[in-house]
Amino acid sequence: MVLGISYRSTDSGAPDRLSALGIARIAGEIRARLFGVQPKPIDVAALIARTARLAVNGKPITLSWGLDRPIHGEDGREVLGACENDPELPDTVMISINASLLAHQPEVIRSTAAHEFAHAIFDMPAAMGGNIRRTFRTSLAPTIARPGTLMDWVEWRADEFMGAFLVPADKLGRVLPKHAGALDLPLRWRSAADGRPVPYLDLDPSEGKLGLLADELAQTFGVTPAFMSVRLIKGGFISRPQETGRTN
């Protein structure tokens, strides 16, 4: 099976001004084609099997996944994962996940796989077309942008895809009422831009029960509670926003 993926791109093959909503749409479409529409954890073994052959904007790509070796950054420290290409293998992209380091953290294996997969589909077509070697690594600690530094749009794009792929907003909105009701949380409804009713919680993000809700929803989607908390806030499911950063 060849998984076809398309998005607006420049002549070089690089993504052309994709918005967060556009990335979420792409992630949602890929997830639905690979795993159906039910809210559930992504099966990493199935993801590997079903993405071995891609066609990204018509360009054939073979994904070679590896979970059986340690991966290190340029400083020699172990990293969570990597996505890289080799000009001597013009149609191949290699994704490595440090499964030995993450042996008891399936949620982080899942998020790392989604993040590196995003690099493969968004960043590698241009590198391969230009016969350029590129390597992307996911470190153990999240990168925190310092004031005055430029936004790393490549990593932002991979993070946006990762979040929407693992916890799509529409599926989160579908299961939120049941879990919120079980915890007696104050659920409200608003209208989305397309007129759909969207649930949200009218409470402070520091509310203790929100942690319990994040724990339950995290199990539903196979992510960490911290990851789920970010998705709840970014998706507008919490009425009082708080500052958030990248989580695995």
Side-chain angles (χ1 to χ4, degrees):
M1 171 182 127
V2 177
L3 177 65
I5 300 169
S6 62
Y7 52 81
R8 188 174 61 194
S9 63
T10 65
D11 292 341
S12 70
D16 185 17
R17 294 175 292 180
L18 289 179
S19 66
L21 286 176
I23 295 167
R25 177 186 58 78
I26 295 166
E29 289 176 355
I30 295 173
R31 177 186 168 113
R33 288 161 63 192
L34 293 177
F35 299 105
V37 298
Q38 293 303 314
K40 61 182 180 181
I42 293 297
D43 184 324
V44 173
L47 174 66
I48 291 171
R50 296 170 189 174
T51 59
R53 298 174 62 201
L54 309 177
V56 181
N57 289 333
K59 178 176 180 55
I61 296 177
T62 297
L63 281 191
S64 176
W65 292 80
L67 287 80
D68 56 354
R69 64 183 179 88
I71 314 161
H72 298 85
E74 294 179 352
D75 59 2
R77 298 179 180 178
E78 283 196 86
V79 297
L80 300 178
C83 177
E84 55 194 329
N85 72 313
D86 184 341
E88 295 186 3
L89 301 170
D91 295 327
T92 300
V93 171
M94 293 148 294
I95 294 179
S96 302
I97 308 297
N98 201 338
S100 61
L101 181 68
L102 302 172
H104 303 293
Q105 301 178 70
E107 300 87 356
V108 184
I109 291 177
R110 195 171 283 119
S111 61
T112 302
H115 183 93
E116 304 306 341
F117 181 48
H119 282 309
I121 63 178
F122 289 127
D123 303 307
M124 284 306 178
M128 298 165 77
N131 202 35
I132 301 169
R133 184 188 297 270
R134 295 293 304 274
T135 300
F136 301 94
R137 297 182 179 90
T138 301
S139 63
L140 287 166
T143 300
I144 300 174
R146 297 178 180 177
T149 59
L150 295 175
M151 168 74 84
D152 188 337
W153 292 106
V154 169
E155 292 303 323
W156 171 84
R157 187 168 54 226
D159 282 343
E160 288 292 323
F161 178 92
M162 172 185 68
F165 186 69
L166 297 182
V167 187
D170 60 335
K171 293 175 177 54
L172 181 53
R174 190 193 312 173
V175 301
L176 179 60
K178 175 182 176 181
H179 289 280
L183 293 171
D184 197 28
L185 290 171
L187 192 69
R188 306 281 187 269
W189 295 85
R190 59 180 174 81
S191 293
D194 59 3
R196 291 179 298 106
V198 177
Y200 71 93
L201 298 169
D202 184 19
L203 78 169
D204 191 289
S206 63
E207 168 66 38
K209 284 188 177 181
L210 183 57
L212 297 176
L213 177 67
D215 287 345
E216 291 190 7
L217 291 171
Q219 293 182 37
T220 299
F221 289 92
V223 297
T224 65
F227 192 112
M228 180 55 67
S229 294
V230 171
R231 294 303 295 166
L232 285 167
I233 294 168
K234 288 192 70 169
F237 297 108
I238 306 295
S239 64
R240 304 173 198 175
Q242 70 177 15
E243 185 176 347
T244 63
R246 182 182 183 277
T247 61
N248 287 312

